[in-house]
Amino acid sequence: KVEQTSRNGLPAVLLTHASGSSALIYIYAAHLASWVCGGAERLFVSSTAEYGGGKAIRGGVPVCWPQFAGRGALPKHGFVRTSDKWRVLRTSTEPYPCVVLELVDDDETRRLFPQPFKLQYSVTLEDDRLATDFCVTNTDSKPLSFTGALHTYWSCDDIDKVAIKAPAFAGATYLDKMQSPPADVKSASDTISIGAPVDSVYAGVSGDVVLEGAHASPLTIKNSVGWSDTVVWSPYGDEGMGYKNFVCVESAQAATPVKLEPGEYWTG
């Protein structure tokens, strides 16, 4: 079922599947904050997270757009992850519980980012699967360029037991942002383990990424369209951030901007 509710003082939509799985999406920032599947919470949200008031919610799935990280003149990770202008476009229960949220440009966004746009973000809950669909439409009369990511915080029982696996990691060149200055490094393995702070951008690596050891059963992150890069981030050792109980494996368009001509759209 689909239920309008409120959590932490913010309006939200709760999706519930007959299997017992559920997902909670705040309308503020179109922020997916919970996915319970197989009796386990798959997303991590910090106990110190702040809700609303122009703050980014730390954890869950922040939507980074139209800028990834600090790669441009906008605030870090863009402005849609702190926007209170998102609205529920529609909901449905068949074939699965689903919510679609929309954000369009207005005077406030154009002060930061002068171009017209339309964003639609859908979250669909199946019994053992959660599907997201992020669609950017250029409603301007000139080209629109952007970077972005779904900055997903995956929960884990113990970061030291987590393995992140993808065949495409082996031999891939990634940008190691922990080096000063950041430097390209060649990966020797198809498996990433976390034992120190990590901030790596794997350009051109997408497809299936498997998260092992986070919970009893492995979790597969599927990128079937759009997102061309994978970002792995962990503030390992930072007790204040709760580093031991999450790892970010992000579906991203970070290395190369997407360019849309007037009227074109992109989906990831």
Side-chain angles (χ1 to χ4, degrees), residues 1-7 11-17 21-26 34 36 91 97-99 125:
K1 67 179 181 177
V2 179
E3 178 186 355
Q4 301 266 358
T5 184
S6 178
R7 301 285 171 87
V13 177
L14 179 65
L15 308 179
T16 308
H17 189 275
S21 62
S22 65
L24 181 77
I25 305 96
Y26 290 106
S34 172
V36 175
T91 62
C98 174
V99 59
L125 178 70

Short mmCIF file of all heavy atoms in Angstrom, two decimals, residues 1-7 11-17 21-26 34 36 91 97-99 125:
data_model
loop_
_atom_site.label_atom_id
_atom_site.label_comp_id
_atom_site.label_asym_id
_atom_site.label_seq_id
_atom_site.Cartn_x
_atom_site.Cartn_y
_atom_site.Cartn_z
N LYS A 1 0.84 -1.20 0.00
CA LYS A 1 0.00 0.00 0.00
C LYS A 1 0.87 1.25 0.00
O LYS A 1 2.08 1.18 0.23
CB LYS A 1 -0.95 -0.01 1.20
CG LYS A 1 -0.28 0.13 2.56
CD LYS A 1 -1.32 0.13 3.68
CE LYS A 1 -0.64 0.31 5.04
NZ LYS A 1 -1.61 0.38 6.13
N VAL A 2 0.26 2.38 -0.25
CA VAL A 2 0.93 3.67 -0.27
C VAL A 2 0.24 4.58 0.73
O VAL A 2 -0.98 4.76 0.67
CB VAL A 2 0.89 4.30 -1.68
CG1 VAL A 2 1.57 5.66 -1.67
CG2 VAL A 2 1.53 3.38 -2.71
N GLU A 3 1.00 5.15 1.64
CA GLU A 3 0.42 5.93 2.73
C GLU A 3 1.17 7.25 2.88
O GLU A 3 2.40 7.28 2.93
CB GLU A 3 0.53 5.11 4.02
CG GLU A 3 0.02 5.79 5.27
CD GLU A 3 0.31 4.96 6.52
OE1 GLU A 3 0.81 3.82 6.39
OE2 GLU A 3 0.04 5.47 7.62
N GLN A 4 0.42 8.33 2.93
CA GLN A 4 1.00 9.64 3.26
C GLN A 4 1.15 9.70 4.77
O GLN A 4 0.20 9.42 5.51
CB GLN A 4 0.10 10.77 2.77
CG GLN A 4 -0.14 10.75 1.26
CD GLN A 4 0.82 11.63 0.49
OE1 GLN A 4 1.65 12.30 1.07
NE2 GLN A 4 0.69 11.62 -0.83
N THR A 5 2.33 10.08 5.25
CA THR A 5 2.59 10.07 6.68
C THR A 5 3.51 11.23 7.04
O THR A 5 3.74 12.12 6.22
CB THR A 5 3.20 8.71 7.10
OG1 THR A 5 3.36 8.68 8.52
CG2 THR A 5 4.53 8.47 6.43
N SER A 6 4.03 11.22 8.24
CA SER A 6 4.96 12.26 8.68
C SER A 6 5.99 11.63 9.61
O SER A 6 5.63 10.82 10.48
CB SER A 6 4.22 13.37 9.42
OG SER A 6 5.12 14.36 9.89
N ARG A 7 7.26 11.98 9.40
CA ARG A 7 8.34 11.49 10.25
C ARG A 7 9.32 12.64 10.50
O ARG A 7 9.62 13.40 9.58
CB ARG A 7 9.10 10.32 9.60
CG ARG A 7 8.24 9.11 9.27
CD ARG A 7 7.87 8.32 10.51
NE ARG A 7 6.88 7.30 10.20
CZ ARG A 7 7.15 6.08 9.76
NH1 ARG A 7 8.41 5.73 9.56
NH2 ARG A 7 6.19 5.22 9.52
N PRO A 11 6.65 15.77 6.02
CA PRO A 11 5.74 14.89 5.28
C PRO A 11 6.54 13.82 4.54
O PRO A 11 7.65 14.07 4.05
CB PRO A 11 5.05 15.83 4.28
CG PRO A 11 5.26 17.20 4.81
CD PRO A 11 6.55 17.17 5.55
N ALA A 12 5.97 12.63 4.48
CA ALA A 12 6.66 11.51 3.85
C ALA A 12 5.64 10.57 3.21
O ALA A 12 4.43 10.66 3.47
CB ALA A 12 7.50 10.76 4.87
N VAL A 13 6.14 9.68 2.38
CA VAL A 13 5.32 8.63 1.77
C VAL A 13 5.90 7.29 2.19
O VAL A 13 7.10 7.05 2.06
CB VAL A 13 5.31 8.75 0.23
CG1 VAL A 13 4.51 7.60 -0.38
CG2 VAL A 13 4.73 10.09 -0.21
N LEU A 14 5.04 6.42 2.72
CA LEU A 14 5.44 5.09 3.15
C LEU A 14 4.89 4.06 2.17
O LEU A 14 3.68 3.99 1.96
CB LEU A 14 4.93 4.80 4.56
CG LEU A 14 5.25 3.41 5.14
CD1 LEU A 14 6.75 3.24 5.32
CD2 LEU A 14 4.51 3.20 6.47
N LEU A 15 5.78 3.31 1.56
CA LEU A 15 5.39 2.21 0.67
C LEU A 15 5.50 0.91 1.45
O LEU A 15 6.51 0.67 2.13
CB LEU A 15 6.30 2.15 -0.55
CG LEU A 15 6.51 3.43 -1.37
CD1 LEU A 15 7.46 3.16 -2.54
CD2 LEU A 15 5.18 3.97 -1.87
N THR A 16 4.49 0.06 1.37
CA THR A 16 4.50 -1.22 2.06
C THR A 16 4.10 -2.32 1.09
O THR A 16 3.10 -2.20 0.38
CB THR A 16 3.54 -1.23 3.26
OG1 THR A 16 3.80 -0.10 4.10
CG2 THR A 16 3.70 -2.49 4.08
N HIS A 17 4.88 -3.40 1.06
CA HIS A 17 4.60 -4.54 0.20
C HIS A 17 4.01 -5.67 1.05
O HIS A 17 4.29 -5.77 2.24
CB HIS A 17 5.90 -5.00 -0.48
CG HIS A 17 5.71 -6.02 -1.55
ND1 HIS A 17 5.62 -7.37 -1.29
CD2 HIS A 17 5.58 -5.89 -2.90
CE1 HIS A 17 5.45 -8.03 -2.41
NE2 HIS A 17 5.43 -7.15 -3.41
N SER A 21 8.13 -5.99 3.25
CA SER A 21 9.14 -4.97 2.95
C SER A 21 8.48 -3.59 2.91
O SER A 21 7.27 -3.45 2.69
CB SER A 21 9.84 -5.26 1.63
OG SER A 21 8.92 -5.24 0.55
N SER A 22 9.30 -2.54 3.14
CA SER A 22 8.77 -1.18 3.17
C SER A 22 9.83 -0.19 2.74
O SER A 22 11.03 -0.50 2.77
CB SER A 22 8.25 -0.81 4.58
OG SER A 22 9.33 -0.78 5.51
N ALA A 23 9.37 0.99 2.35
CA ALA A 23 10.29 2.07 2.00
C ALA A 23 9.67 3.39 2.44
O ALA A 23 8.45 3.59 2.29
CB ALA A 23 10.58 2.10 0.50
N LEU A 24 10.49 4.28 2.98
CA LEU A 24 10.03 5.59 3.43
C LEU A 24 10.75 6.66 2.64
O LEU A 24 11.99 6.67 2.58
CB LEU A 24 10.30 5.79 4.92
CG LEU A 24 9.83 7.14 5.48
CD1 LEU A 24 8.32 7.14 5.68
CD2 LEU A 24 10.54 7.47 6.79
N ILE A 25 9.97 7.56 2.02
CA ILE A 25 10.53 8.64 1.21
C ILE A 25 10.02 9.97 1.74
O ILE A 25 8.80 10.20 1.78
CB ILE A 25 10.13 8.48 -0.27
CG1 ILE A 25 10.51 7.11 -0.80
CG2 ILE A 25 10.79 9.58 -1.11
CD1 ILE A 25 9.38 6.10 -0.77
N TYR A 26 10.93 10.83 2.17
CA TYR A 26 10.54 12.19 2.53
C TYR A 26 10.26 12.99 1.25
O TYR A 26 11.01 12.87 0.27
CB TYR A 26 11.65 12.89 3.32
CG TYR A 26 11.85 12.35 4.71
CD1 TYR A 26 12.95 11.56 5.01
CD2 TYR A 26 10.95 12.64 5.72
CE1 TYR A 26 13.14 11.06 6.29
CE2 TYR A 26 11.13 12.14 7.00
CZ TYR A 26 12.22 11.35 7.27
OH TYR A 26 12.40 10.85 8.54
N SER A 34 14.54 4.98 4.13
CA SER A 34 14.47 3.65 4.72
C SER A 34 14.04 2.65 3.67
O SER A 34 13.15 2.93 2.85
CB SER A 34 13.45 3.64 5.88
OG SER A 34 13.22 2.31 6.35
N VAL A 36 13.35 -1.45 4.22
CA VAL A 36 13.38 -2.66 5.03
C VAL A 36 13.04 -3.83 4.12
O VAL A 36 11.98 -3.84 3.47
CB VAL A 36 12.40 -2.58 6.22
CG1 VAL A 36 12.38 -3.91 6.97
CG2 VAL A 36 12.78 -1.44 7.14
N THR A 91 1.01 8.54 -7.14
CA THR A 91 1.32 7.28 -6.46
C THR A 91 0.49 6.18 -7.10
O THR A 91 -0.53 6.45 -7.74
CB THR A 91 1.00 7.34 -4.95
OG1 THR A 91 -0.41 7.57 -4.78
CG2 THR A 91 1.77 8.44 -4.26
N PRO A 97 3.75 -1.02 -5.09
CA PRO A 97 3.67 0.32 -4.49
C PRO A 97 4.74 1.25 -5.07
O PRO A 97 5.92 0.87 -5.17
CB PRO A 97 3.92 0.05 -3.00
CG PRO A 97 3.58 -1.40 -2.81
CD PRO A 97 3.94 -2.08 -4.08
N CYS A 98 4.32 2.47 -5.46
CA CYS A 98 5.23 3.37 -6.15
C CYS A 98 4.86 4.81 -5.85
O CYS A 98 3.68 5.14 -5.71
CB CYS A 98 5.16 3.12 -7.66
SG CYS A 98 6.11 4.28 -8.68
N VAL A 99 5.87 5.68 -5.76
CA VAL A 99 5.65 7.11 -5.65
C VAL A 99 6.55 7.80 -6.67
O VAL A 99 7.69 7.38 -6.89
CB VAL A 99 5.92 7.65 -4.23
CG1 VAL A 99 7.36 7.39 -3.78
CG2 VAL A 99 5.59 9.14 -4.13
N LEU A 125 8.59 -0.28 -4.91
CA LEU A 125 8.92 -1.31 -3.93
C LEU A 125 8.37 -2.65 -4.37
O LEU A 125 7.17 -2.81 -4.53
CB LEU A 125 8.34 -0.93 -2.56
CG LEU A 125 8.55 -1.92 -1.42
CD1 LEU A 125 10.02 -1.96 -1.00
CD2 LEU A 125 7.65 -1.57 -0.24
#
